[in-house]
Amino acid sequence: MASTNVVGILGGMGPAAGADFVRLFVQACAQQMRARGEPVRDQSFPEHWLAQVPVPDRTDALGSAENGAHQPLEPMLQALGRLAALGSQAVAIACNTAHAWHARLQERFPQVELLHMAREVAQHLAAQRAGSVALMATEGTYRVRLYDQALADAGLDCHVPLAEERRIITRGIFDGVKAGNMQLAEACFSQVALQLVQRHGPVTIIMGCTEVPLGLQGSAAVAGLSLVDPAQVLAAALARRAYRD
Amino acid sequence: MASTNVVGILGGMGPAAGADFVRLFVQACAQQMRARGEPVRDQSFPEHWLAQVPVPDRTDALGSAENGAHQPLEPMLQALGRLAALGSQAVAIACNTAHAWHARLQERFPQVELLHMAREVAQHLAAQRAGSVALMATEGTYRVRLYDQALADAGLDCHVPLAEERRIITRGIFDGVKAGNMQLAEACFSQVALQLVQRHGPVTIIMGCTEVPLGLQGSAAVAGLSLVDPAQVLAAALARRAYRD
């Protein structure tokens, strides 16, 4: 049995997405074992820790004055420090928008490899030879252009929804998933996804907020579309770090 | 907004069950907020930590000599100590069989309230005025009579499967859920559940191993049966501790 590294997951943004990230990570670890021809046993999973801590809303903070942008950083720094103290060699952040603080978090804890969701997704899409993509995300993620550089580096063209469609996505995130109204979430997200495909053709849609896949899971309305879940891609990347010799 | 307590989840037994326990806990927290008439927001969830650590198989250890029984205790003690150091006021163990070590874990960390799954389930069933129950569990859980005292205290009569049925449950747990073969798991678990009801009438079935509900989720074969998920009951109990003023 290969020795494994301890890894951490920084969650709570929102908590349902953090829980789902652990599920995706456990699935990705089982795939690692199968790919190595090892039996899947409880004891072959790497030690991993999930921190779900209250963090002020990321998009709100990015939209306000300079002081606002510091609010989410402090609890994330504290949780990341604790994950590092628990022995985590690599940490994934289970929130797209929170990656606006990725550089500052990584800078403070250079001993931990802090994965970057957008870069992992861009590499994944480039390997799959995706052509055009469209990004469904929070206003905060659009504002800091989180995916722009990574997608451009991978040679991928990215479409973004119209202002009205972005408002519908925001409604699905906050009044839908975060408030527990999954029917509303599905209606909002599927409407925008279908409009993106009508306008731009068969693009791959990046569900670039961890709440979006939770709302679209099992949705018949988008069954034919090409969707990529950044949390799943990131969970697989974290599993590779855990099993790296 | 009510102030919340930090709580912990001791998982990894198996890891998929630990991930599912966080999902159930997050749902239970949302229900707490709704019951209090508060909006469900990311920032209103209590800080919580999940430790998923490799722990030797609990049933194996309980079946071997005295030395064997110490093997699962050490990693659980270490993880519980770390959850306590992170500030956890209450901790839930996301594994039925691991409760064989509950008293020794609680004794070492008296400052933490270590919930007891079987006692929470017995109280829950007594409040629901369940009559007879049947227990689907690991050989280890049967051997240490984990549920017997708690169910007897609650005035509940408990049926256990026959030896051959217990072997089928074990197969569903290890060759099914833990190995990622969910189809096998569903076939094993549903067969035993149906036989229990045929033999004992409309009993409430305690899915007394965290792998059983994972295998029976969405199973049409057992759609009409009365099933209780101890992980769900325990997650609700942990959420009550988190929101206790």
Side-chain angles (χ1 to χ4, degrees):
Chain A
M1 195 183 77
S3 68
T4 55
N5 296 319
V6 180
V7 299
I9 298 160
L10 178 53
M13 305 172 275
D20 201 57
F21 193 90
V22 182
R23 182 183 68 83
L24 294 168
F25 173 72
V26 168
Q27 282 185 352
C29 288
Q31 282 171 6
Q32 282 281 325
M33 286 179 239
R34 285 191 201 101
R36 289 157 183 257
E38 294 170 11
V40 178
R41 300 163 60 245
D42 286 6
Q43 294 75 25
S44 302
F45 284 80
E47 179 178 328
H48 54 284
W49 292 77
L50 167 70
Q52 300 244 79
V53 297
V55 176
D57 189 73
R58 283 66 63 196
T59 290
D60 278 357
L62 292 169
S64 66
E66 179 60 17
N67 275 345
H70 285 280
Q71 288 173 7
L73 183 62
E74 290 308 322
M76 286 198 283
L77 276 173
Q78 190 178 43
L80 179 56
R82 287 165 154 203
L83 290 170
L86 289 161
S88 303
Q89 305 277 307
V91 169
I93 309 170
C95 172
N96 286 265
T97 319
H99 283 73
W101 291 271
H102 178 276
R104 278 188 277 181
L105 290 163
Q106 178 66 86
E107 190 181 67
R108 189 81 73 90
F109 297 100
Q111 74 273 36
V112 173
E113 184 190 6
L114 189 61
L115 305 192
H116 193 294
M117 199 183 258
R119 290 177 206 149
E120 297 291 341
V121 169
Q123 285 167 24
H124 170 83
L125 290 171
Q128 296 212 324
R129 302 189 180 283
S132 272
V133 300
L135 178 64
M136 287 176 65
T138 62
E139 289 294 349
T141 290
Y142 293 123
R143 189 171 298 126
V144 298
R145 306 176 67 81
L146 189 69
Y147 277 84
D148 292 31
Q149 190 62 48
L151 291 172
D153 288 350
L156 293 163
D157 191 30
C158 183
H159 300 287
V160 295
L162 307 175
E164 170 57 19
E165 291 167 340
R166 289 153 71 146
R167 277 191 288 274
I168 297 170
I169 296 171
T170 296
R171 192 164 170 238
I173 293 169
F174 288 89
D175 301 336
V177 176
K178 286 189 195 290
N181 186 343
M182 303 312 270
Q183 210 171 355
L184 174 67
E186 193 208 330
C188 290
F189 298 149
S190 63
Q191 179 189 337
V192 175
L194 291 169
Q195 286 176 200
L196 285 167
V197 171
Q198 274 175 3
R199 194 157 64 240
H200 302 294
V203 291
T204 296
I205 296 176
I206 300 173
M207 298 185 285
C209 166
T210 48
E211 316 301 74
V212 175
L214 297 182
L216 279 179
Q217 256 159 18
S219 166
V222 296
L225 307 194
S226 170
L227 303 169
V228 64
D229 178 358
Q232 192 170 21
V233 174
L234 185 64
L238 188 65
R240 288 196 299 275
R241 302 310 194 280
Y243 285 94
R244 182 195 283 162
D245 296 329
Chain B
M1 196 181 75
S3 69
T4 56
N5 296 318
V6 179
V7 298
I9 299 159
L10 178 52
M13 305 172 274
D20 202 56
F21 193 90
V22 183
R23 182 183 67 82
L24 293 169
F25 173 72
V26 168
Q27 282 184 352
C29 289
Q31 281 169 7
Q32 283 281 326
M33 286 179 240
R34 283 189 203 103
R36 289 158 184 258
E38 294 169 10
V40 178
R41 300 163 58 245
D42 286 5
Q43 293 75 26
S44 302
F45 284 81
E47 178 178 329
H48 55 283
W49 291 77
L50 168 70
Q52 299 243 77
V53 297
V55 176
D57 189 72
R58 283 67 61 198
T59 289
D60 278 356
L62 292 170
S64 66
E66 180 61 17
N67 274 347
H70 284 281
Q71 287 172 8
L73 183 62
E74 289 308 321
M76 285 198 283
L77 276 173
Q78 191 178 42
L80 179 57
R82 286 166 154 201
L83 288 170
L86 289 162
S88 303
Q89 305 278 307
V91 169
I93 309 170
C95 171
N96 286 265
T97 319
H99 283 73
W101 292 271
H102 178 275
R104 278 188 276 181
L105 290 163
Q106 178 65 86
E107 189 180 67
R108 190 80 74 89
F109 296 100
Q111 73 274 34
V112 174
E113 184 191 6
L114 189 60
L115 305 193
H116 193 293
M117 199 183 258
R119 290 177 205 149
E120 297 291 340
V121 169
Q123 287 167 21
H124 170 81
L125 290 171
Q128 295 213 324
R129 303 190 179 281
S132 273
V133 300
L135 178 64
M136 288 176 64
T138 63
E139 290 292 349
T141 290
Y142 293 123
R143 189 170 299 125
V144 299
R145 306 175 67 79
L146 189 70
Y147 277 84
D148 293 30
Q149 191 62 49
L151 291 172
D153 288 349
L156 292 162
D157 191 29
C158 182
H159 300 286
V160 295
L162 308 174
E164 171 56 20
E165 291 166 341
R166 286 152 72 146
R167 277 191 288 276
I168 297 169
I169 295 172
T170 296
R171 193 163 171 242
I173 293 169
F174 288 88
D175 300 338
V177 175
K178 286 189 195 290
N181 186 343
M182 303 312 271
Q183 210 170 356
L184 175 66
E186 193 208 330
C188 291
F189 298 150
S190 62
Q191 180 189 337
V192 176
L194 291 169
Q195 286 176 201
L196 285 167
V197 171
Q198 274 174 5
R199 194 157 64 241
H200 303 294
V203 292
T204 296
I205 296 176
I206 301 173
M207 297 185 286
C209 166
T210 47
E211 317 301 73
V212 175
L214 297 181
L216 279 179
Q217 255 158 19
S219 166
V222 297
L225 307 193
S226 170
L227 304 168
V228 63
D229 179 359
Q232 192 170 20
V233 174
L234 185 64
L238 188 65
R240 288 195 299 274
R241 303 310 193 279
Y243 284 94
R244 184 195 284 162
D245 295 330

